[in-house]
Amino acid sequence: MHMRTVLILLVLALATIFALVCVLLTRGRAPSTCQHRPPEHEDADDGQSLVFADLTPEEMAQVVQYLQGSLGVQLVDAARAKPSDNCIASVDVQVPAKAEVLRFLDGGGPRPPREALAVLYFGSQPDPNVTEYVVGPLPTPVYHRDVTVQKYGGKVPYHRRPTLAVEYKQIAGFLKGQVFPTAPSFMRQVMEYDGASLAALTAAPRGLQSGDRITWFALFQNVSGFFVHPVGLEVLVDHSSLDISRWAVSRVFYNGQYYRDMVQLESAYAQGRISVEKAWSFAFGMSVNTGLRLFDIRHKGERVAYEISVQEALSVYGSNCPGGMSTRYMDGSFGIGRYTSPLVRGVDCPYVATYLDVHYLAHSQVPRISKSALCIFEQNLGSPLRRHYSNLQSLYYGGLVNSALVVRSIATVGNYDYVWDFIFYQNGAIEGKVQATGYLSSSFLHGDGLRYGNRVWEHTLGTIHTHSINYKVDLDVGGRSCLSFDVCHFTGKPSAWGVLPPSL
């Protein structure tokens, strides 16, 4: 190797070692920062426009600290204040008078002192009131002066105070904890209230005469865009008392009718004197022979069908064995309703579904019961009913869960388990659906058996067959009808494991 090449490699090695040493020596040190320090008068107008500037967070904090130590009363954080407390409702910049500003801007006069305007609620006083103070000078205030009378011509009565966010929370707690529980059946069965499913929207003003502090709160479904999902219930809350425990309901309005309070509304509902608007209503039952059936099916109060019911489940088999080739099962003859089986919570139906027992009398003189043989639940359909994601000009997302009401029973007739569903959609559509599972029917595999099905084990033939499902549909859409018709659905041969694909 040439001496020159050796020298070059040695120089490169030394340079690499030097770089590594520099990295190791500087590891762990905070990187230096280059802070931009604006000049004292960076803006073009020499800082004159700062006379209008909003308060900085530091100035706001200084005002709060000053008031807490200078008024001689306890001030509670407005985020948790009761109406009977003293608190700072807001702090804003006090823009100087126009004449002072113009003397400063145009006439070379002195800069007006920088001040804040603080609005305080004094609920813990013999004469509760709203007071406004000008506090200054900022950033280190040393004085405050009451400007309430100067601005409003007198003291501001306490009932005129704008509602704090915490008061809305207290009203919501009052409705949830004291008002709604007085109408348990109505709230559960009509409003389907679960403690969080309703949203309240306030009205204004809070009363119709001086001294009032009563507010109408309209209730909505607590969903995205709840403003267009009213439930028809509105409550007039009298929250004039400084003692929250003395708040009361003055009036209730539901579906065009006024009530004294929620207790009277509950009583009217229990007596059947309330017209309840629901999306879906229907009567349902279980025929011992044909299974699940529905009557008087209404959407938003209008009957759309007099009857929709299962009528028969027929299966026709083929085989090269006499038992299989002659099989023509009509499951109604065995009793689809009779063989309705108990439903396992969390597997056959959602855990939170409503489960109902079924009573029947068949093959005995004694009525029998099938426990939890019906379930009713709402199902998220897995895709939104509507949605929009905006990425033009403004960014937002709005969407609504697409859910449906499901009534389900499962009949185990021999080897097959039929999952019967009636599904009610928000748009007024009804779906009848059956899924078949359980075990396939089989024959001993011999000879030309594969012409009649599939091999599922060494000597086991899953026999070919066809299912025919019949429904009775008596529609009353747009008026009463005297006609009904049967709906028939066919399914093909089973898969290798005997589970039929969903149908209807």
Side-chain angles (χ1 to χ4, degrees):
M1 183 179 293
H2 294 80
M3 182 62 65
R4 182 177 180 181
T5 303
V6 174
L7 290 174
I8 293 174
L9 293 174
L10 181 60
V11 170
L12 290 174
L14 290 173
T16 302
I17 293 172
F18 179 76
L20 290 173
V21 170
C22 290
V23 170
L24 293 174
L25 289 176
T26 57
R27 177 174 293 178
R29 296 181 184 177
S32 61
T33 59
C34 296
Q35 297 181 348
H36 173 64
R37 298 179 180 272
E40 186 176 356
H41 302 293
E42 183 175 348
D43 51 315
D45 61 2
D46 199 27
Q48 289 183 328
S49 65
L50 294 178
V51 72
F52 304 110
D54 291 340
L55 298 180
T56 66
E58 293 76 16
E59 290 173 326
M60 295 176 186
Q62 286 294 328
V63 171
V64 171
Q65 183 178 351
Y66 170 79
L67 292 172
Q68 288 174 333
S70 303
L71 297 182
V73 297
Q74 181 182 9
L75 295 177
V76 177
D77 187 345
R80 54 182 178 83
K82 299 187 295 292
S84 57
D85 289 329
N86 306 317
C87 68
I88 301 172
S90 64
V91 175
D92 200 355
V93 66
Q94 172 69 5
V95 179
K98 180 178 179 180
E100 293 182 64
V101 174
L102 292 181
R103 279 196 298 269
F104 168 62
L105 294 179
D106 301 339
R111 178 187 292 270
R114 185 157 170 79
E115 297 174 322
L117 178 67
V119 179
L120 281 85
Y121 293 176
F122 289 111
S124 182
Q125 288 191 358
D127 182 20
N129 65 88
V130 179
T131 301
E132 295 190 6
Y133 292 112
V134 170
V135 181
L138 300 178
T140 308
V142 295
Y143 64 80
H144 65 279
R145 64 179 184 273
D146 188 339
V147 296
T148 311
V149 175
Q150 174 187 342
K151 290 181 65 173
Y152 302 105
K155 289 186 176 181
V156 177
Y158 198 54
H159 67 265
R160 293 185 185 175
R161 70 193 185 279
T163 305
L164 295 173
V166 68
E167 188 171 356
Y168 286 120
K169 293 181 180 179
Q170 291 159 351
I171 292 172
F174 168 68
L175 292 173
K176 180 178 179 179
Q178 300 183 44
V179 177
F180 295 158
T182 62
S185 297
F186 175 84
M187 292 303 297
R188 182 180 65 255
Q189 298 172 15
V190 180
M191 295 290 103
E192 298 180 347
Y193 180 63
D194 62 4
S197 55
L198 294 178
L201 185 63
T202 181
R206 311 200 181 281
L208 301 177
Q209 59 186 6
S210 181
D212 283 349
R213 195 169 180 83
I214 54 177
T215 306
W216 279 105
F217 288 90
L219 281 301
F220 298 78
Q221 295 179 25
N222 191 13
V223 296
S224 173
F226 72 87
F227 305 98
V228 292
H229 295 277
V231 297
L233 178 64
E234 301 183 12
V235 181
L236 181 61
V237 177
D238 182 349
H239 51 117
S240 56
S241 176
L242 303 190
D243 183 353
I244 295 177
S245 67
R246 299 182 61 185
W247 286 356
V249 170
S250 298
R251 195 67 61 88
V252 172
F253 178 84
Y254 177 69
N255 200 13
Q257 297 291 325
Y258 288 94
Y259 300 89
R260 181 180 62 253
D261 50 27
M262 293 294 291
V263 174
Q264 187 182 33
L265 175 63
E266 174 80 356
S267 176
Y269 173 68
Q271 297 172 26
R273 295 188 287 107
I274 290 182
S275 174
V276 178
E277 294 291 340
K278 285 194 171 183
W280 285 106
S281 67
F282 48 85
F284 59 90
M286 182 73 70
S287 165
V288 67
N289 294 316
T290 61
L292 190 58
R293 55 189 176 185
L294 308 177
F295 294 96
D296 195 20
I297 303 155
R298 300 170 185 254
H299 181 251
K300 296 184 177 179
E302 179 181 355
R303 182 182 295 115
V304 296
Y306 176 76
E307 178 183 358
I308 301 179
S309 57
V310 180
Q311 293 294 300
E312 185 59 89
L314 170 69
S315 52
V316 179
Y317 285 81
S319 173
N320 62 347
C321 294
M325 69 175 65
S326 62
T327 297
R328 308 289 188 268
Y329 285 135
M330 298 182 68
D331 291 330
S333 65
F334 294 97
I336 297 174
R338 178 190 173 210
Y339 286 105
T340 295
S341 58
L343 300 172
V344 177
R345 188 181 296 267
V347 180
D348 295 329
C349 301
Y351 193 85
V352 297
T354 297
Y355 293 82
L356 301 172
D357 300 338
V358 168
H359 299 267
Y360 66 93
L361 192 153
H363 301 206
S364 171
Q365 294 184 1
V366 179
R368 303 194 179 199
I369 183 172
S370 182
K371 300 288 290 185
S372 300
L374 274 173
C375 71
I376 303 173
F377 58 93
E378 280 194 58
Q379 182 179 50
N380 186 328
L381 298 179
S383 61
L385 180 64
R386 58 169 176 81
R387 59 96 66 191
H388 180 67
Y389 178 82
S390 174
N391 55 9
L392 299 175
Q393 298 184 8
S394 59
L395 296 176
Y396 67 88
Y397 171 84
L400 184 63
V401 172
N402 191 8
S403 60
L405 182 68
V406 180
V407 181
R408 173 176 294 170
S409 68
I410 301 180
T412 303
V413 186
N415 58 304
Y416 272 111
D417 292 64
Y418 293 101
V419 182
W420 304 99
D421 284 352
F422 284 116
I423 306 172
F424 300 86
Y425 296 94
Q426 298 183 52
N427 63 358
I430 307 172
E431 179 183 5
K433 178 180 178 181
V434 59
Q435 303 174 74
T437 181
Y439 286 92
L440 52 74
S441 182
S442 67
S443 293
F444 186 80
L445 177 57
H446 70 96
D448 62 349
L450 292 180
R451 294 179 56 193
Y452 302 95
N454 298 318
R455 183 197 299 269
V456 295
W457 201 241
E458 184 178 1
H459 296 292
T460 305
L461 175 72
T463 50
I464 189 171
H465 61 282
T466 298
H467 285 272
S468 300
I469 308 297
N470 291 81
Y471 290 83
K472 178 181 179 181
V473 180
D474 185 350
L475 296 179
D476 280 352
V477 177
R480 185 169 151 187
S481 170
C482 295
L483 300 176
S484 64
F485 57 91
D486 290 338
V487 176
C488 185
H489 184 78
F490 299 93
T491 63
K493 67 179 183 178
S495 63
W497 294 108
V499 179
L500 292 175
S503 58
L504 272 189

